[in-house]
Amino acid sequence: MTEAIATLKARKPRMSAEGRLLHMTALVVPLVGLAIFFLYPLAIIVQRSFVQRDGALGLGNYRDVFGMGHIGRVVQNSLVMSGLTTLICVVLGFAIAYALQRTRLPYRRLISVALLLPLLAPSLVQALGLIFLFGRNGLISQATGWNLQIYGLWGLVISNTMYALPQAVMIIQAALRHSDSRQYDAAMVLGASPWRQFVDITLPKARFGLLSAGFVCFTVTITDFGNAAVIGGNYRVLATEIYAQVVGQMNFNMGAVVGIFLLIPTLLAFYLEKVAARRETGGGSESAVPVTPTRSAARDLPLGLVAFAAALFIVAVVGTVVYASFVSLWPYRLDLTLRNYNITAQGGYAPLWTSLVVSAQAAVIGTALLFALVVAQRRLTGGAAKAVYLLAIVPVGVPGLVLGLSYVLSFNVAHPLLGMVYGTTFLIALCNFYHYHSQGFLTMVTGIRTVPPALEETVTCMGGSSLHGMRDAILPVMLPTLVAVFFFLFMRSMVTLSAVIFLITPRLSVGAVSVLRLDQAGFTTQAAAFSVCIMGVVLAAMGLMKLALHLLSRRPEAASSARKLEVTD
């Protein structure tokens, strides 16, 4: 038997010239895309931060920024706001994730759906909802006469908490899901109390999930522009400062400097998270026995109240935006009408159709490039594989606002090749794709690990080319992953604001920017109506994704992969 196996291995054909060409193309094209549309723009924004007003290179812009009396306060405001939001999201997210994963809480699916609502619309929708409820003319303010001062720090913290909380819950819930019940059984046999089990097993196992959730929450809140622009008031943060420098004063070099300031804390958080990931030990294994939720009134009641309260608050805020979109004149005439959906200002519904085109382009281009990259990276070994992996995940540490500004500085030029893509849906689509490149890549890596190596080797040993191996072995198993990544890129592109705010032109805008402009122009109910339209598109996309994954899960060769995607979705 051993000799037969050795003979089969010896007969395994080497990669043909056609296969090497296919592998090289699959590797080079995505890497060239990363070089042109990620590394080059970042290099330009760093270079422009050193270009002084006279055109010479130096530290003049940095001296000017530090000379501004308010810049220190702006940096402090950003760190305080993001720090508070991250702390609340991690603590609250852990409580909700624990309630969903480790208790027999009723209506858990409804809570999970409610938590996803903030991800279905641009981030500023949470700020709109809070203003409709607690603003000077809000429903609760009008009914109670309270002056809640929702504008400023606490309005930002609440709205950003709503936006980041769903992501924190999903990350922590995934960490709790990989625990092994045998460790709890052993602890129980040794006489450990439930509290000791929680402290000695649950918390250490969830440590990496908590750190990852903290990194994500800090990054998305310190870089978010939508909520800060709508409800921030006089509480200035780095995101609004960049916008003021670039759009208000047309000072792109100073905007680049502030962008560097915004880039530093997110890259630092990214680095710390990766260091923690390398040191993480004792993770879940394939043979782990899932923990079965148990009943405990003393634990389940408070956790259930927290989960239900968070879900109800999110539903109330998002639901108020939907309700306001049908109101004649907020908050004075609350009779229902469809007049708000007759949007003619800010280009009418043209930006919504542009968003559909941009999102479709980002999804198609992104899915194809990511698939090619993971297939090529799978054949690499050693330092080359690690280098490709690192380059592919670095974009997650770059704020969308910084990436969008770098695109303006890089492609709004007279160069015949680089300048020709500026002001097109293609460039906005690429910005959205590279903004979410890391998440899509990691999902693809997870998906390709479900492809049995023996399956591809069988196709090759039977005389099939590398193209046949990709078509007949890899692609059928990875179809659920491709569908998930496609719709992920589509849905995120529909609601992204920070990454595209600088890329719109008088002739080209997108839906999320139109919501912001309608609100700034005083058409708040029309802004709510436009937000509802965006949410409707994203909900439809999510429904199509669920249907596609359900149909693919019936295919024998993809059933296992589809089930994994359904669990992690």
Side-chain angles (χ1 to χ4, degrees):
M1 178 66 70
T2 304
E3 295 178 357
I5 294 175
T7 303
L8 285 174
K9 289 183 177 180
R11 291 178 181 176
K12 181 180 176 180
R14 295 181 178 180
M15 186 182 297
S16 64
E18 178 190 358
R20 288 194 295 271
L21 177 61
L22 179 64
H23 174 261
M24 185 61 63
T25 303
L27 179 63
V28 170
V29 172
L31 291 182
V32 169
L34 274 167
I36 296 176
F37 296 103
F38 177 68
L39 296 179
Y40 172 71
L42 283 187
I44 291 297
I45 200 172
V46 173
Q47 183 259 340
R48 285 291 295 270
S49 71
F50 292 102
V51 176
Q52 303 176 136
R53 294 183 180 182
D54 59 0
L57 296 178
L59 299 175
N61 293 327
Y62 287 87
R63 286 195 297 267
D64 291 343
V65 167
F66 284 114
M68 296 178 181
H70 67 281
I71 195 65
R73 185 174 68 255
V74 169
V75 173
Q76 180 182 355
N77 288 348
S78 296
L79 294 176
V80 169
M81 181 272 297
S82 297
L84 284 173
T85 304
T86 300
L87 179 62
I88 295 172
C89 283
V90 170
V91 174
L92 185 59
F94 181 81
I96 296 174
Y98 195 92
L100 295 175
Q101 192 64 34
R102 295 293 179 84
T103 72
R104 296 187 178 181
L105 187 69
Y107 308 112
R108 284 180 293 180
R109 183 172 292 275
L110 289 178
I111 294 175
S112 299
V113 171
L115 291 173
L116 289 177
L117 290 178
L119 301 181
L120 303 181
S123 60
L124 56 87
V125 168
Q126 290 80 52
L128 276 179
L130 289 175
I131 292 173
F132 283 137
L133 282 173
F134 305 107
R136 299 182 184 93
N137 293 319
L139 287 179
I140 294 179
S141 300
Q142 291 285 326
T144 61
W146 296 342
N147 185 10
L148 298 177
Q149 299 294 331
I150 195 64
Y151 299 92
L153 172 61
W154 292 111
L156 267 176
V157 169
I158 296 172
S159 57
N160 281 330
T161 296
M162 292 175 59
Y163 184 60
L165 182 63
Q167 301 172 70
V169 171
M170 287 188 287
I171 293 171
I172 299 172
Q173 195 173 357
L176 293 173
R177 189 180 296 123
H178 290 93
S179 296
D180 193 338
S181 67
R182 291 173 296 186
Q183 294 179 337
Y184 292 91
D185 294 338
M188 188 180 301
V189 170
L190 294 173
S193 64
W195 174 251
R196 293 307 312 173
Q197 295 178 35
F198 176 80
V199 172
D200 296 336
I201 302 176
T202 304
L203 284 181
K205 289 294 182 182
R207 179 178 55 191
F208 178 60
L210 293 172
L211 290 172
S212 298
F215 159 69
V216 170
C217 293
F218 182 84
T219 301
V220 301
T221 54
I222 199 172
T223 62
D224 179 70
F225 174 75
N227 286 324
V230 173
I231 205 171
N234 294 325
Y235 193 84
R236 302 177 66 174
V237 292
L238 284 170
T240 53
E241 184 65 23
I242 294 177
Y243 188 79
Q245 290 292 333
V246 174
V247 177
Q249 302 182 30
M250 298 300 293
N251 193 338
F252 289 92
N253 293 343
M254 295 290 282
V257 173
V258 181
I260 298 297
F261 288 169
L262 189 59
L263 185 62
I264 290 173
T266 53
L267 285 180
L268 179 61
F270 171 73
Y271 171 75
L272 294 176
E273 194 265 348
K274 290 306 169 187
V275 170
R278 287 196 297 267
R279 294 182 177 180
E280 178 68 12
T281 57
S285 64
E286 294 294 333
S287 61
V289 179
V291 177
T292 303
T294 58
R295 295 186 183 277
S296 173
R299 177 199 63 194
D300 296 354
L301 182 59
L303 290 178
L305 290 175
V306 170
F308 275 110
L312 287 175
F313 185 78
I314 290 175
V315 170
V317 172
V318 178
T320 302
V321 174
V322 177
Y323 171 63
S325 71
F326 294 101
V327 168
S328 294
L329 182 62
W330 187 274
Y332 307 106
R333 292 175 52 192
L334 299 182
D335 51 302
L336 301 182
T337 180
L338 293 175
R339 192 182 305 117
N340 295 322
Y341 286 85
N342 183 25
I343 301 174
T344 57
Q346 303 299 330
Y349 282 105
L352 182 61
W353 307 123
T354 302
S355 289
L356 287 169
V357 173
V358 167
S359 300
Q361 289 177 335
V364 172
I365 296 171
T367 303
L369 289 179
L370 289 172
F371 176 70
L373 185 59
V374 297
V375 169
Q377 195 241 2
R378 191 188 191 200
R379 292 187 175 275
L380 298 177
T381 58
K386 292 180 180 179
V388 171
Y389 182 87
L390 179 62
L391 181 60
I393 65 173
V394 164
V396 75
V398 178
L401 207 62
V402 176
L403 187 62
L405 177 58
S406 71
Y407 269 45
V408 175
L409 300 177
S410 303
F411 301 106
N412 188 16
V413 293
H415 193 280
L417 293 179
L418 296 177
M420 67 183 297
V421 297
Y422 187 77
T424 65
T425 58
F426 178 71
L427 186 64
I428 299 177
L430 287 175
C431 183
N432 282 331
F433 163 53
Y434 285 104
H435 182 36
Y436 296 105
H437 184 278
S438 303
Q439 297 92 321
F441 175 78
L442 292 174
T443 304
M444 283 285 189
V445 169
T446 302
I448 203 168
R449 286 173 180 169
T450 65
V451 180
L455 188 61
E456 190 177 1
E457 292 174 4
T458 300
V459 175
T460 305
C461 291
M462 293 179 65
S465 64
S466 297
L467 183 60
H468 289 138
M470 184 183 298
R471 184 193 66 188
D472 299 331
I474 298 177
L475 191 59
V477 180
M478 284 196 64
L479 269 179
T481 305
L482 296 176
V483 169
V485 171
F486 176 90
F487 281 103
F488 166 76
L489 292 173
F490 179 88
M491 290 186 288
R492 297 314 300 163
S493 296
M494 281 295 303
V495 301
T496 297
L497 174 63
S498 299
V500 302
I501 188 65
F502 294 128
L503 295 179
I504 53 107
T505 67
R507 295 184 179 181
L508 182 69
S509 185
V510 294
V513 176
S514 287
V515 175
L516 176 64
R517 287 181 165 179
L518 286 169
D519 177 68
Q520 291 177 336
F523 302 110
T524 54
T525 50
Q526 289 194 1
F530 210 112
S531 300
V532 172
C533 293
I534 295 175
M535 285 189 283
V537 172
V538 177
L539 275 174
M542 184 177 292
L544 289 174
M545 182 185 70
K546 293 289 186 181
L547 176 61
L549 291 177
H550 175 71
L551 294 176
L552 288 174
S553 66
R554 297 182 177 182
R555 302 169 71 249
E557 66 270 25
S560 175
S561 177
R563 282 195 296 271
K564 290 182 179 180
L565 285 168
E566 287 284 359
V567 169
T568 58
D569 182 61

